Amino acid sequence: EPLTDERVDALVEMVDRTGVEAIVHSAVSQACMPLFPSRVFPASHPEANIEGFHRLIDRMPERGRPVLSWCSLNHSESVATAHPDWPIVPFSDDQAIDDDHTFCCVNSPYGDMLAKFVAEVVRDVRFDGIWFDGNCFALHNRAAACRCAYCRDRFQRDTGQVLPGKVDFDDEAFRTWVQWRYEVWVGTWKKLHAAITEANPDAIMAINNYRRYPVPGWMRGIPMRKLAMNILMSGELDLHVFHGDFQMKMHQAYECGLGQDSWLALCDHWNMWVPDIETLPVEQAAVSCASAGGALWMGSGVDHRLSPDACIAAQKATAPLLPYTGGAFVEHVMIWVSQCTQDFHYDAREDYKGAWDAWHGVNELCLHAHVQSTVVFDDHVTDGDIVGRAPVLYAGSAACVSDEQATHLRDFVAKGGVLIASHDAGTRDEWRCPRDSPLLDDLLGITPRTPGEASPTLELTDAHLVDACGRWVSAHGAPHTLATPGSDVDLLAHVVDHPMEAWDRFEGRPEPKPRHPGLWFRRHGDGGVIYLGLDLARGHITAPTTFQVRLFKALLERLAPPAITLDAPLQVTMNVREQSDGRWAVLLHNAPGTIWRYPTYHNSGELLPIFDLRIRLTRRTVVEATAVLSGESYAVADDGRSIVVPTLHRNEVVLLRFAPGA
């Protein structure tokens, strides 16, 4: 509804009570009908007025709070009604949803009209920016699009091909269409950003990134690549309280100038919109985002006065962390989030959750093992940005690898990096075409390979690993490969195909199941590769065990020792960022729950204090350690290589100052 004086007063009261850093209101209705008299869109709300928006926006500068407008990027009842040939047409006939034709295609004249409209919102209505929701090239965010006449014409002009008529990953035209949509969508973002900043150079543009678990990646048309745009990359937690850590790291990989954030509905288990909101999950979500370098938005429904406690809790949890969310991550493990592998390998197998499970799984392994993780995309690998950046690259089962990427992977290892690969890494090219000879097998030390048939169990043969995590490490349901290595590898474990039966019956057969080489290390140049025959990360997200964590941590400590790690229970997460003055900010988060924290909804656990944590450094000497939130000074031990944190409640920031030259 249009903004009345009463609603303005309620919003201002909410800001004053909670102290939140910014608010997102809306210049349009849910169906994107302008709530002010627009001179661009063909129709506005019958009670449209601009005075209410000016009243709200004019009261915010004295509070130091910006006001952004919500806007659904491709949803406009106003435009679609006036121009019935502009709406999105689902790519497949079976994807039609409720006959809703109010989603407009950016390849139609709507694309230019939208740019003029958002300029009107920041110039005339005077919003401080636009937060674009519904930001995907799809219908209702669920049905891939588009095959309207405008798309067909543009696709043929741009590619010289006829727009395909069905989903077919074996069809070159379909794969080209998938990549083409990404280019169109990035072009749309750039057009809108140019229009907004021309209307107001200080205006903020945020795009809600709908490429997230568990939807097939290609369906929404949102690319994963370096953007280098001065925008805010946003997302949604979907009540996954601790998902903020990975999502902030994935969004940071876009390299957008204004940072990253995510949105959380203020409700319990999608019981929307209720006033009895538990505040602990909201606090934990806020800390999860902030600790990984981002911020939390919250959606409070229509009556903002129903949720002040949750907003106050989130603001109090986040505000002290904001000065320490900038700066560069102290990186150790780069997680390769491969769009090509997700789109052309997993989706082609109708296994679209597989890539998400693998990416989340390795981030969880890093969190549980208390080592630092960041995300890199396909173009980071293609451009060689990985070389010299961090000690470890976790490629996992990145099946789709280009020739250029393979060259930089070899260079990364030769110059001292450790590459961790698993299962079917490098078996296809970037367009998912199978390679006669897998591209990385010589680097990984693989000779022949065959697919595994059951659930894999690693039987460790290396004494150091056995001491760290026991004799066996299983990964129920994880994809795996039975491979034979060359003679120049250090064999660390065998893998056994373990069917769904008791282990004693399985091993009690006259001829037990054969052992195959399942884990090894191979040196190459100044670095080396770890090959895991099983997809440990995917196994960890679907059937997690502490043995998997111990194995992962032991491998890193032996072959690529982290610069900083932590002695603490699994539920404590650590992110470390270098500050402008050279100090390290160690952000500790007591994030309880089961080891299976994602994709479980709304699990924040019971918050109990953790005692006697120890931060350890391997290559630098600490001369001072102070706690930002409690104000305590911590004792430095072991010649400046360890710091004991006596008690951790919900979270803390420990600032480490190093000896000169250390």
Side-chain angles (χ1 to χ4, degrees), residues 418 488-492 519-523 527-530 559:
V418 173
D488 60 344
V489 307
D490 297 327
L491 184 63
L492 305 176
L519 168 61
W520 62 76
F521 177 72
R522 180 178 182 272
R523 299 190 180 280
V529 296
I530 297 171
L559 301 171

Side-chain angles (χ1 to χ4, degrees), residues 22-73:
I23 62 173
V24 177
H25 198 264
S26 182
V28 296
S29 68
Q30 188 74 23
C32 285
M33 182 72 74
L35 299 177
F36 66 95
S38 173
R39 295 193 297 269
V40 177
F41 273 10
S44 299
H45 191 282
E47 299 177 21
N49 74 83
I50 203 169
E51 292 78 14
F53 294 111
H54 288 170
R55 176 179 167 87
L56 170 67
I57 294 166
D58 288 345
R59 293 176 68 179
M60 288 297 108
E62 62 194 60
R63 294 166 170 80
R65 299 298 188 259
V67 184
L68 276 67
S69 174
W70 178 91
C71 184
S72 180
L73 196 148

Side-chain angles (χ1 to χ4, degrees), residues 22 101 119 253 300 311-312 321 356 381 421 579:
H101 300 293
S300 59
C311 293
I312 291 169
L321 304 182
W356 289 117
V381 182
Q579 305 300 290

Side-chain angles (χ1 to χ4, degrees), residues 21 314-325 628-629 650-651 653:
E21 303 289 331
Q315 175 65 14
K316 287 183 176 180
T318 304
L321 304 182
L322 293 181
Y324 308 99
T325 57
V628 171
L629 303 186
R650 183 191 61 216
N651 65 296
V653 181

Side-chain angles (χ1 to χ4, degrees), residues 529-547:
V529 296
I530 297 171
Y531 180 73
L532 277 157
L534 56 87
D535 192 335
L536 184 69
R538 190 168 172 188
H540 187 63
I541 204 68
T542 55
T545 72
T546 58
F547 300 105

Side-chain angles (χ1 to χ4, degrees), residues 103-250:
F103 289 78
C104 296
C105 179
V106 295
N107 282 329
S108 75
Y110 170 73
D112 292 332
M113 180 181 285
L114 178 63
K116 294 176 182 177
F117 176 73
V118 295
E120 182 182 38
V121 169
V122 298
R123 183 187 60 242
D124 299 341
V125 192
R126 303 206 305 264
F127 273 97
D128 296 303
I130 308 283
W131 196 84
F132 282 109
D133 204 356
N135 175 51
C136 53
F137 206 168
L139 178 65
H140 272 298
N141 312 321
R142 298 190 298 275
C146 171
R147 57 182 176 91
C148 70
Y150 298 100
C151 281
R152 292 198 303 271
D153 290 346
R154 181 172 174 180
F155 181 75
Q156 189 156 28
R157 288 198 312 271
D158 290 349
T159 69
Q161 300 183 61
V162 176
L163 195 145
K166 63 179 181 178
V167 175
D168 182 0
F169 286 92
D170 291 323
D171 179 14
E172 179 183 349
F174 173 77
R175 296 195 301 265
T176 301
W177 175 78
V178 169
Q179 295 284 30
W180 171 81
R181 286 166 71 234
Y182 293 145
E183 300 299 330
V184 169
W185 209 234
V186 170
T188 298
W189 293 347
K190 291 179 178 179
K191 177 190 292 186
L192 297 176
H193 186 241
I196 290 170
T197 53
E198 182 180 358
N200 177 2
D202 297 324
I204 298 167
M205 173 171 152
I207 54 176
N208 188 4
N209 187 341
Y210 271 69
R211 181 183 269 268
R212 64 184 193 270
Y213 188 95
V215 175
W218 68 271
M219 286 187 64
R220 290 179 170 174
I222 300 170
M224 296 191 293
R225 63 178 63 173
K226 295 179 291 184
L227 290 178
M229 294 175 64
N230 198 37
I231 62 174
L232 185 63
M233 180 59 69
S234 304
E236 294 190 16
L237 293 184
D238 290 336
L239 301 190
H240 297 116
V241 172
F242 296 123
H243 178 38
D245 186 275
F246 178 76
Q247 195 173 92
M248 294 306 98
K249 292 170 183 176
M250 186 178 77

Side-chain angles (χ1 to χ4, degrees), residues 348-482:
R349 298 185 309 189
E350 297 183 350
D351 184 23
Y352 59 86
K353 288 176 57 180
W356 289 117
D357 287 342
W359 301 334
H360 285 287
V362 67
N363 192 63
E364 291 292 294
L365 282 169
C366 289
L367 290 175
H368 294 321
H370 306 119
V371 296
Q372 305 306 290
S373 63
T374 51
V375 166
V376 294
F377 292 147
D378 284 336
D379 55 349
H380 289 97
V381 182
T382 302
D383 296 342
D385 297 348
I386 57 172
V387 179
R389 173 172 169 172
V392 179
L393 174 66
Y394 193 99
S397 296
C400 298
V401 179
S402 71
D403 292 340
E404 294 83 2
Q405 289 170 339
T407 297
H408 291 302
L409 291 173
R410 295 174 191 279
D411 192 30
F412 168 77
V413 176
K415 292 180 178 177
V418 173
L419 171 68
I420 303 178
S422 60
H423 186 37
D424 49 7
T427 55
R428 296 172 179 268
D429 68 13
E430 65 270 33
W431 293 97
R432 84 167 282 267
C433 297
R435 293 185 180 274
D436 295 334
S437 178
L439 190 61
L440 300 174
D441 276 11
D442 62 324
L443 177 64
L444 302 177
I446 299 175
T447 49
R449 64 163 79 202
T450 57
E453 296 178 352
S455 289
T457 293
L458 287 174
E459 186 174 78
L460 305 181
T461 58
D462 179 80
H464 172 78
L465 296 182
V466 172
D467 288 343
C469 53
R471 184 74 182 280
W472 295 282
V473 178
S474 297
H476 176 68
H480 62 294
T481 293
L482 306 178

Side-chain angles (χ1 to χ4, degrees), residues 430-659:
E430 65 270 33
W431 293 97
R432 84 167 282 267
C433 297
R435 293 185 180 274
D436 295 334
S437 178
L439 190 61
L440 300 174
D441 276 11
D442 62 324
L443 177 64
L444 302 177
I446 299 175
T447 49
R449 64 163 79 202
T450 57
E453 296 178 352
S455 289
T457 293
L458 287 174
E459 186 174 78
L460 305 181
T461 58
D462 179 80
H464 172 78
L465 296 182
V466 172
D467 288 343
C469 53
R471 184 74 182 280
W472 295 282
V473 178
S474 297
H476 176 68
H480 62 294
T481 293
L482 306 178
T484 302
S487 59
D488 60 344
V489 307
D490 297 327
L491 184 63
L492 305 176
H494 290 102
V495 67
V496 185
D497 264 339
H498 183 202
M500 294 295 290
E501 59 181 276
W503 185 262
D504 54 351
R505 287 182 55 202
F506 172 73
E507 286 294 279
R509 294 175 175 177
E511 295 183 4
K513 198 78 169 179
R515 272 69 175 152
H516 300 268
L519 168 61
W520 62 76
F521 177 72
R522 180 178 182 272
R523 299 190 180 280
H524 177 78
D526 293 332
V529 296
I530 297 171
Y531 180 73
L532 277 157
L534 56 87
D535 192 335
L536 184 69
R538 190 168 172 188
H540 187 63
I541 204 68
T542 55
T545 72
T546 58
F547 300 105
Q548 298 159 356
V549 178
R550 295 176 205 166
L551 173 62
F552 183 76
K553 186 170 186 177
L555 284 170
L556 292 180
E557 289 179 342
R558 177 176 174 180
L559 301 171
I564 183 171
T565 187
L566 180 71
D567 297 343
L570 294 171
Q571 70 192 58
V572 178
T573 69
M574 177 176 72
N575 283 293
V576 185
R577 305 183 79 94
E578 184 170 2
Q579 305 300 290
S580 58
D581 60 4
R583 291 183 299 176
W584 285 6
V586 181
L587 294 99
L588 302 175
H589 184 194
N590 183 359
T594 66
I595 190 174
W596 192 0
R597 301 184 309 154
Y598 188 86
T600 306
Y601 272 127
H602 210 267
N603 180 11
S604 63
E606 182 180 6
L607 189 61
L608 299 173
I610 307 294
F611 301 102
D612 297 328
L613 300 84
R614 185 178 293 269
I615 300 169
R616 296 187 184 275
L617 295 103
T618 58
R619 295 185 286 276
R620 304 194 71 178
T621 301
V622 177
V623 296
E624 183 182 52
T626 56
V628 171
L629 303 186
S630 69
E632 297 180 63
S633 293
Y634 295 146
V636 179
D638 300 328
D639 297 325
R641 294 300 176 92
S642 72
I643 302 94
V644 174
V645 179
T647 307
L648 177 67
H649 292 282
R650 183 191 61 216
N651 65 296
E652 184 57 270
V653 181
V654 183
L655 288 178
L656 304 181
R657 184 168 63 85
F658 300 105

